[in-house]
Amino acid sequence: MSDQTPQQPDPADTAGAPGAPGPGFEDMTRDIAEVPAVEVITTVAVHLMSSAAVNLGLAEGGEAHKDLDEARKLIHALAGLVTASATEIGSYHAAPLRDGLKSLQLAFREASVVPDEPGQGPGEKFTGPVYG
C-alpha cells in the first residue's frame, strides 16, 4: 500500500477515453441560473405527471408498475405546485398543467377500488372537488 492520495485525472487529458466525458461536455450543460423559473416549474410538473401516470398503471405494461399510494403522493405534490405557481407562470403555461392534473385525478378515482369522496381525492385539498 502507498501513503499517496490518488490524483483525479484532468478531464482535458481523458477526453475520448472510455467512461470519460465527451468533448464539450461542459459546453452542453446550462448553468441553472440561466434557466427561467417557468421552465424549471413546468419541467418538475411534467416529471410529477409522468411518474403519477406510471404509478396509476397508465404506462405501457401498466399493471406491473401500479402503486396508488405513490400516485396519490405525486398527484398531491403536483396539485400544490400547479396551484401555487399558476399566477406566477401565467395561464399559457398553467392551463395545460391544470388539464393534466385533472386527468390524473380522474384516473386515480377510476383506478381506486374504493374511490375517495369528492374533495377528498389526491390534490383536491388544493384544487377543490374534481368531477368528470
Side-chain angles (χ1 to χ4, degrees), residues 6-33:
Q7 298 295 317
Q8 293 294 326
D10 181 4
D13 295 339
T14 60
F25 177 76
E26 291 297 321
D27 295 332
M28 292 187 294
T29 60
R30 292 196 314 186
D31 183 5
I32 194 70

mmCIF file of all heavy atoms in Angstrom, residues 6-33:
data_model
loop_
_atom_site.group_PDB
_atom_site.id
_atom_site.type_symbol
_atom_site.label_atom_id
_atom_site.label_comp_id
_atom_site.label_asym_id
_atom_site.label_seq_id
_atom_site.Cartn_x
_atom_site.Cartn_y
_atom_site.Cartn_z
ATOM 1 N N PRO A 6 -4.573 9.110 -4.321
ATOM 2 C CA PRO A 6 -4.718 9.047 -5.774
ATOM 3 C C PRO A 6 -5.155 10.412 -6.316
ATOM 4 O O PRO A 6 -5.960 11.107 -5.717
ATOM 5 C CB PRO A 6 -5.817 8.015 -6.004
ATOM 6 C CG PRO A 6 -6.114 7.420 -4.690
ATOM 7 C CD PRO A 6 -5.469 8.237 -3.636
ATOM 8 N N GLN A 7 -4.595 10.782 -7.427
ATOM 9 C CA GLN A 7 -4.935 12.046 -8.065
ATOM 10 C C GLN A 7 -6.036 11.814 -9.094
ATOM 11 O O GLN A 7 -6.027 10.811 -9.796
ATOM 12 C CB GLN A 7 -3.702 12.634 -8.771
ATOM 13 C CG GLN A 7 -2.556 12.944 -7.826
ATOM 14 C CD GLN A 7 -2.920 14.048 -6.843
ATOM 15 O OE1 GLN A 7 -3.520 15.026 -7.222
ATOM 16 N NE2 GLN A 7 -2.552 13.873 -5.586
ATOM 17 N N GLN A 8 -6.979 12.747 -9.145
ATOM 18 C CA GLN A 8 -8.022 12.681 -10.158
ATOM 19 C C GLN A 8 -7.427 13.097 -11.491
ATOM 20 O O GLN A 8 -6.687 14.075 -11.564
ATOM 21 C CB GLN A 8 -9.183 13.633 -9.796
ATOM 22 C CG GLN A 8 -9.948 13.218 -8.571
ATOM 23 C CD GLN A 8 -10.690 11.920 -8.789
ATOM 24 O OE1 GLN A 8 -11.166 11.634 -9.878
ATOM 25 N NE2 GLN A 8 -10.770 11.110 -7.758
ATOM 26 N N PRO A 9 -7.759 12.372 -12.560
ATOM 27 C CA PRO A 9 -7.234 12.767 -13.862
ATOM 28 C C PRO A 9 -7.858 14.080 -14.315
ATOM 29 O O PRO A 9 -8.990 14.392 -13.978
ATOM 30 C CB PRO A 9 -7.640 11.621 -14.790
ATOM 31 C CG PRO A 9 -8.746 10.929 -14.104
ATOM 32 C CD PRO A 9 -8.576 11.185 -12.631
ATOM 33 N N ASP A 10 -7.096 14.833 -15.051
ATOM 34 C CA ASP A 10 -7.583 16.078 -15.624
ATOM 35 C C ASP A 10 -8.551 15.720 -16.741
ATOM 36 O O ASP A 10 -8.194 14.963 -17.653
ATOM 37 C CB ASP A 10 -6.400 16.888 -16.168
ATOM 38 C CG ASP A 10 -6.821 18.225 -16.760
ATOM 39 O OD1 ASP A 10 -8.019 18.559 -16.685
ATOM 40 O OD2 ASP A 10 -5.932 18.922 -17.298
ATOM 41 N N PRO A 11 -9.814 16.222 -16.704
ATOM 42 C CA PRO A 11 -10.786 15.877 -17.742
ATOM 43 C C PRO A 11 -10.280 16.173 -19.144
ATOM 44 O O PRO A 11 -10.627 15.473 -20.083
ATOM 45 C CB PRO A 11 -12.008 16.740 -17.407
ATOM 46 C CG PRO A 11 -11.873 17.080 -15.965
ATOM 47 C CD PRO A 11 -10.402 17.089 -15.686
ATOM 48 N N ALA A 12 -9.447 17.183 -19.309
ATOM 49 C CA ALA A 12 -8.921 17.500 -20.633
ATOM 50 C C ALA A 12 -8.018 16.380 -21.138
ATOM 51 O O ALA A 12 -7.924 16.154 -22.345
ATOM 52 C CB ALA A 12 -8.154 18.816 -20.581
ATOM 53 N N ASP A 13 -7.349 15.666 -20.212
ATOM 54 C CA ASP A 13 -6.458 14.579 -20.600
ATOM 55 C C ASP A 13 -7.216 13.306 -20.934
ATOM 56 O O ASP A 13 -6.666 12.400 -21.537
ATOM 57 C CB ASP A 13 -5.465 14.265 -19.472
ATOM 58 C CG ASP A 13 -4.521 15.422 -19.192
ATOM 59 O OD1 ASP A 13 -4.352 16.285 -20.087
ATOM 60 O OD2 ASP A 13 -3.965 15.463 -18.071
ATOM 61 N N THR A 14 -8.476 13.188 -20.538
ATOM 62 C CA THR A 14 -9.220 11.942 -20.713
ATOM 63 C C THR A 14 -10.310 12.036 -21.764
ATOM 64 O O THR A 14 -11.068 11.104 -21.938
ATOM 65 C CB THR A 14 -9.860 11.508 -19.388
ATOM 66 O OG1 THR A 14 -10.744 12.534 -18.956
ATOM 67 C CG2 THR A 14 -8.813 11.224 -18.331
ATOM 68 N N ALA A 15 -10.418 13.156 -22.471
ATOM 69 C CA ALA A 15 -11.460 13.291 -23.493
ATOM 70 C C ALA A 15 -11.294 12.164 -24.503
ATOM 71 O O ALA A 15 -10.217 11.919 -25.022
ATOM 72 C CB ALA A 15 -11.363 14.651 -24.175
ATOM 73 N N GLY A 16 -12.364 11.467 -24.757
ATOM 74 C CA GLY A 16 -12.345 10.359 -25.697
ATOM 75 C C GLY A 16 -12.015 9.028 -25.046
ATOM 76 O O GLY A 16 -12.175 7.982 -25.653
ATOM 77 N N ALA A 17 -11.554 9.029 -23.814
ATOM 78 C CA ALA A 17 -11.258 7.785 -23.113
ATOM 79 C C ALA A 17 -12.567 7.118 -22.704
ATOM 80 O O ALA A 17 -13.551 7.798 -22.442
ATOM 81 C CB ALA A 17 -10.396 8.070 -21.886
ATOM 82 N N PRO A 18 -12.606 5.795 -22.642
ATOM 83 C CA PRO A 18 -13.842 5.116 -22.238
ATOM 84 C C PRO A 18 -14.301 5.580 -20.862
ATOM 85 O O PRO A 18 -13.510 5.643 -19.926
ATOM 86 C CB PRO A 18 -13.455 3.630 -22.202
ATOM 87 C CG PRO A 18 -12.193 3.520 -22.996
ATOM 88 C CD PRO A 18 -11.526 4.866 -22.932
ATOM 89 N N GLY A 19 -15.570 5.946 -20.746
ATOM 90 C CA GLY A 19 -16.137 6.379 -19.482
ATOM 91 C C GLY A 19 -15.871 7.836 -19.146
ATOM 92 O O GLY A 19 -16.343 8.347 -18.153
ATOM 93 N N ALA A 20 -15.082 8.512 -19.957
ATOM 94 C CA ALA A 20 -14.761 9.919 -19.703
ATOM 95 C C ALA A 20 -15.789 10.802 -20.391
ATOM 96 O O ALA A 20 -16.391 10.405 -21.382
ATOM 97 C CB ALA A 20 -13.364 10.239 -20.219
ATOM 98 N N PRO A 21 -15.999 12.011 -19.854
ATOM 99 C CA PRO A 21 -16.933 12.914 -20.516
ATOM 100 C C PRO A 21 -16.473 13.203 -21.935
ATOM 101 O O PRO A 21 -15.276 13.288 -22.203
ATOM 102 C CB PRO A 21 -16.888 14.184 -19.669
ATOM 103 C CG PRO A 21 -16.105 13.878 -18.453
ATOM 104 C CD PRO A 21 -15.384 12.598 -18.692
ATOM 105 N N GLY A 22 -17.430 13.330 -22.829
ATOM 106 C CA GLY A 22 -17.094 13.622 -24.217
ATOM 107 C C GLY A 22 -16.614 15.043 -24.376
ATOM 108 O O GLY A 22 -16.704 15.858 -23.469
ATOM 109 N N PRO A 23 -16.074 15.340 -25.521
ATOM 110 C CA PRO A 23 -15.596 16.696 -25.748
ATOM 111 C C PRO A 23 -16.751 17.684 -25.660
ATOM 112 O O PRO A 23 -17.842 17.419 -26.153
ATOM 113 C CB PRO A 23 -15.003 16.648 -27.162
ATOM 114 C CG PRO A 23 -15.366 15.333 -27.735
ATOM 115 C CD PRO A 23 -15.899 14.471 -26.640
ATOM 116 N N GLY A 24 -16.496 18.803 -25.002
ATOM 117 C CA GLY A 24 -17.504 19.842 -24.903
ATOM 118 C C GLY A 24 -18.614 19.557 -23.918
ATOM 119 O O GLY A 24 -19.656 20.189 -23.978
ATOM 120 N N PHE A 25 -18.416 18.609 -23.021
ATOM 121 C CA PHE A 25 -19.471 18.263 -22.056
ATOM 122 C C PHE A 25 -19.905 19.489 -21.280
ATOM 123 O O PHE A 25 -21.101 19.727 -21.106
ATOM 124 C CB PHE A 25 -18.998 17.160 -21.099
ATOM 125 C CG PHE A 25 -20.007 16.809 -20.053
ATOM 126 C CD1 PHE A 25 -21.102 16.042 -20.381
ATOM 127 C CD2 PHE A 25 -19.868 17.254 -18.740
ATOM 128 C CE1 PHE A 25 -22.042 15.718 -19.425
ATOM 129 C CE2 PHE A 25 -20.804 16.944 -17.780
ATOM 130 C CZ PHE A 25 -21.902 16.170 -18.124
ATOM 131 N N GLU A 26 -18.953 20.264 -20.808
ATOM 132 C CA GLU A 26 -19.283 21.472 -20.040
ATOM 133 C C GLU A 26 -20.046 22.476 -20.896
ATOM 134 O O GLU A 26 -20.895 23.206 -20.404
ATOM 135 C CB GLU A 26 -18.017 22.111 -19.464
ATOM 136 C CG GLU A 26 -17.358 21.292 -18.374
ATOM 137 C CD GLU A 26 -18.261 21.119 -17.152
ATOM 138 O OE1 GLU A 26 -18.950 22.071 -16.776
ATOM 139 O OE2 GLU A 26 -18.260 20.015 -16.587
ATOM 140 N N ASP A 27 -19.753 22.504 -22.177
ATOM 141 C CA ASP A 27 -20.437 23.435 -23.071
ATOM 142 C C ASP A 27 -21.894 23.035 -23.299
ATOM 143 O O ASP A 27 -22.730 23.875 -23.613
ATOM 144 C CB ASP A 27 -19.725 23.512 -24.426
ATOM 145 C CG ASP A 27 -18.328 24.100 -24.304
ATOM 146 O OD1 ASP A 27 -18.110 24.905 -23.372
ATOM 147 O OD2 ASP A 27 -17.467 23.750 -25.128
ATOM 148 N N MET A 28 -22.197 21.735 -23.160
ATOM 149 C CA MET A 28 -23.549 21.258 -23.424
ATOM 150 C C MET A 28 -24.483 21.449 -22.231
ATOM 151 O O MET A 28 -25.685 21.359 -22.370
ATOM 152 C CB MET A 28 -23.532 19.783 -23.820
ATOM 153 C CG MET A 28 -22.875 19.554 -25.168
ATOM 154 S SD MET A 28 -23.017 17.861 -25.751
ATOM 155 C CE MET A 28 -22.043 16.979 -24.546
ATOM 156 N N THR A 29 -23.954 21.669 -21.062
ATOM 157 C CA THR A 29 -24.796 21.868 -19.883
ATOM 158 C C THR A 29 -25.068 23.347 -19.684
ATOM 159 O O THR A 29 -24.243 24.189 -20.011
ATOM 160 C CB THR A 29 -24.141 21.292 -18.612
ATOM 161 O OG1 THR A 29 -22.901 21.945 -18.402
ATOM 162 C CG2 THR A 29 -23.929 19.791 -18.732
ATOM 163 N N ARG A 30 -26.265 23.630 -19.185
ATOM 164 C CA ARG A 30 -26.624 25.020 -18.916
ATOM 165 C C ARG A 30 -26.487 25.294 -17.439
ATOM 166 O O ARG A 30 -26.826 24.461 -16.603
ATOM 167 C CB ARG A 30 -28.074 25.307 -19.316
ATOM 168 C CG ARG A 30 -28.295 25.257 -20.778
ATOM 169 C CD ARG A 30 -29.581 25.891 -21.207
ATOM 170 N NE ARG A 30 -30.739 25.532 -20.419
ATOM 171 C CZ ARG A 30 -31.959 25.910 -20.741
ATOM 172 N NH1 ARG A 30 -32.184 26.620 -21.817
ATOM 173 N NH2 ARG A 30 -32.978 25.573 -19.994
ATOM 174 N N ASP A 31 -26.025 26.470 -17.145
ATOM 175 C CA ASP A 31 -25.960 26.901 -15.763
ATOM 176 C C ASP A 31 -27.403 27.093 -15.284
ATOM 177 O O ASP A 31 -28.208 27.722 -15.969
ATOM 178 C CB ASP A 31 -25.180 28.211 -15.687
ATOM 179 C CG ASP A 31 -24.987 28.701 -14.270
ATOM 180 O OD1 ASP A 31 -25.372 28.007 -13.314
ATOM 181 O OD2 ASP A 31 -24.438 29.801 -14.136
ATOM 182 N N ILE A 32 -27.739 26.550 -14.140
ATOM 183 C CA ILE A 32 -29.116 26.626 -13.631
ATOM 184 C C ILE A 32 -29.587 28.064 -13.485
ATOM 185 O O ILE A 32 -30.774 28.347 -13.604
ATOM 186 C CB ILE A 32 -29.262 25.824 -12.307
ATOM 187 C CG1 ILE A 32 -30.733 25.599 -11.958
ATOM 188 C CG2 ILE A 32 -28.543 26.526 -11.180
ATOM 189 C CD1 ILE A 32 -31.439 24.643 -12.853
ATOM 190 N N ALA A 33 -28.670 28.977 -13.292
ATOM 191 C CA ALA A 33 -29.046 30.384 -13.175
ATOM 192 C C ALA A 33 -29.595 30.943 -14.479
ATOM 193 O O ALA A 33 -30.325 31.925 -14.484
ATOM 194 C CB ALA A 33 -27.847 31.213 -12.728
#
